């Protein structure tokens, strides 16, 4: 039987479908396919975290919590967990895109990830990293990049690396009303000039330079500063000298808050992967995911999945009619 021979029968059997209210259609479609994992809003939705919120936490000496996210699911869970800040860090170049280091990622790629994170975030204050090459040439270049991250990436602020030399750039951006989070100490975008990923401010000279950088960023208008990979004692002393909060990563608990890369702290990596000294592994996302996927593979191979409860029904009459039509027939 040719497929064309079925058309008259199909047109006779097709019954008009009444118009379905948009809400009902949407609900049914949600059952029929994969869809946004955002789900229903929490019963007790947190108030939106703003700069005023962060400043209040700092005044009360309540530690500020910050974590990275690189897409909708990672931002969704971070926001649900109650993070104060979510950073779309350029570390996603390695942990999400498989690149060698942060120098590879482009501004357009960062904006794409910022938009994904922003869609999932309802309460946390969101920050987007300015990647290497989009802000160092001149303050005007940096401002243009920052505006794109805010407008297109839909985050609330930006982060950039550098100290005294970046102060004029920070001042140019903050004058337009864009919040800037500074970053000193180990600055990964400059790892080649630092001799690799090495601890900074281990000498008196280095510690004084770090303090000078932090003070310059504060005066330029940064609302906070990330201190990365420096001795805890130095971070504590620098934090005490500043009016703005510090966010530590490998800088001890004397900072105003802490940040970690979500992939690292959640254990979303295979055994044997290098982990920086400052990272505490709070979960085993890789292990749990691996078990789930291996079980899925096994059940598909053995025919256990999909079970009847995972399939859609058809009435016996319609199935009998269909079987009768195709019995002993061939299709071109």
């Amino acid at each position: 039987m040719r497929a064309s021979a079925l058309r008259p029968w199909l047109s006779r059997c097709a019954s008009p479908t009444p118009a379905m209210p948009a809400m009902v259609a949407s609900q049914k479609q949600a059952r029929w396919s994969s869809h946004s994992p955002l789900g229903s809003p929490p019963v007790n939705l947190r108030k939106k975290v703003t700069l005023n919120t962060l400043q209040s936490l700092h005044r009360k000496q309540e530690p500020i919590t910050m974590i990275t996210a690189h897409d909708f699911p990672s931002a969704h869970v971070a926001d649900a967990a109650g993070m104060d800040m979510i950073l779309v860090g350029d570390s996603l170049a390695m942990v999400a895109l498989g690149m060698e280091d942060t120098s590879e990622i482009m501004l357009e790629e960062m904006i794409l990830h910022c938009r994904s994170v922003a869609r999932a975030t309802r309460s946390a204050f969101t920050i987007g990293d300015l990647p290497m090459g989009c802000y160092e040439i001149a303050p005007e270049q940096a401002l243009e990049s920052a505006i794109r991250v805010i407008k297109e990436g839909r985050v609330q602020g930006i982060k950039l690396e550098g100290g005294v030399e970046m102060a004029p750039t920070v001042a140019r951006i903050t004058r337009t009303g864009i919040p800037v989070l500074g970053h000193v100490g180990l600055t990964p975008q400059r790892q080649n000039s630092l001799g690799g990923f090495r601890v900074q401010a281990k000498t008196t000279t280095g510690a004084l330079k770090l303090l000078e950088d932090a003070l310059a960023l504060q005066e330029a208008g940064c609302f906070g500063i990330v201190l990365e990979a420096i001795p805890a004692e130095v971070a504590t002393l620098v934090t005490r000298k500043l009016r703005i909060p510090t966010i530590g990563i490998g800088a001890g608990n004397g900072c105003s808050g802490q940040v970690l890369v979500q992939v690292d702290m959640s254990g979303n990596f295979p055994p044997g992967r290098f982990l920086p000294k400052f990272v505490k592994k709070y979960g085993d996302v890789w292990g749990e995911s691996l078990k789930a996927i291996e079980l899925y593979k096994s059940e598909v191979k053995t025919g256990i999945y999909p079970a009847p409860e995972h399939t859609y029904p058809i009435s016996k009459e319609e199935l009998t009619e269909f079987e009768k039509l195709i019995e002993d027939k061939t299709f071109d």
Side-chain angles (χ1 to χ4, degrees), residues 69-178:
H70 58 265
D71 59 8
F72 190 103
S74 60
H76 189 196
V77 70
D79 199 45
M83 286 290 108
D84 297 316
M85 301 173 70
I86 293 177
L87 170 67
V88 188
D90 58 3
S91 58
L92 71 85
M94 293 94 77
V95 301
L97 301 180
M99 297 176 178
E100 278 296 314
D101 54 50
T102 61
S103 68
E104 289 188 54
I105 196 164
M106 307 296 289
L107 178 60
E108 287 71 21
E109 293 168 312
M110 286 298 303
I111 289 173
L112 174 64
H113 285 273
C114 284
R115 291 172 67 184
S116 181
V117 166
R119 292 187 191 107
T121 307
R122 293 291 179 265
S123 299
F125 191 85
T126 52
I127 299 288
D129 248 336
L130 291 189
M132 181 181 183
C134 78
Y135 66 95
E136 300 91 337
I137 295 174
E140 294 303 316
Q141 180 209 25
L143 175 59
E144 182 177 347
S145 298
I147 290 172
R148 288 195 62 194
V149 171
I150 299 297
K151 283 181 64 67
E152 300 174 38
R154 310 308 300 150
V155 293
Q156 280 95 53
I158 63 97
K159 181 174 80 67
L160 54 75
E161 297 181 6
V164 172
E165 75 288 354
M166 296 308 301
T169 295
V170 170
R172 183 68 183 92
I173 296 172
T174 56
R175 280 200 302 270
T176 66
I178 296 176

Side-chain angles (χ1 to χ4, degrees), residues 6-21:
L6 286 173
R7 290 179 191 142
W9 180 84
L10 288 172
S11 60
R12 288 197 306 273
C13 291
S15 57
T17 303
M20 184 180 296

Side-chain angles (χ1 to χ4, degrees), residues 11-56:
S11 60
R12 288 197 306 273
C13 291
S15 57
T17 303
M20 184 180 296
M23 184 184 304
V24 176
S26 175
Q27 289 172 347
K28 286 186 175 293
Q29 183 62 27
R31 289 174 48 212
W32 295 341
S33 66
S34 295
H35 54 92
S36 166
L38 194 57
S40 301
V43 176
N44 298 314
L45 187 65
R46 289 191 296 149
K47 289 180 64 176
K48 176 64 182 173
V49 176
T50 66
L51 283 183
N52 287 340
T53 311
L54 299 173
Q55 290 163 358
S56 176

Side-chain angles (χ1 to χ4, degrees), residues 225-246:
I225 301 174
V226 171
L227 303 180
E228 179 168 359
I230 63 175
E233 297 84 354
V234 172
T236 298
L237 291 171
V238 169
T239 297
R240 290 174 183 170
K241 288 292 184 180
L242 298 174
R243 302 186 306 274
I244 58 176
T246 58

Side-chain angles (χ1 to χ4, degrees), residues 265-288:
M265 58 78 63
S266 65
N268 195 4
F269 51 84
R273 173 183 178 264
F274 171 77
L275 206 59
K277 179 182 180 180
F278 58 78
V279 174
K280 180 176 179 179
K281 184 180 171 185
Y282 286 86
D284 185 20
V285 172
W286 173 277
E288 291 300 313

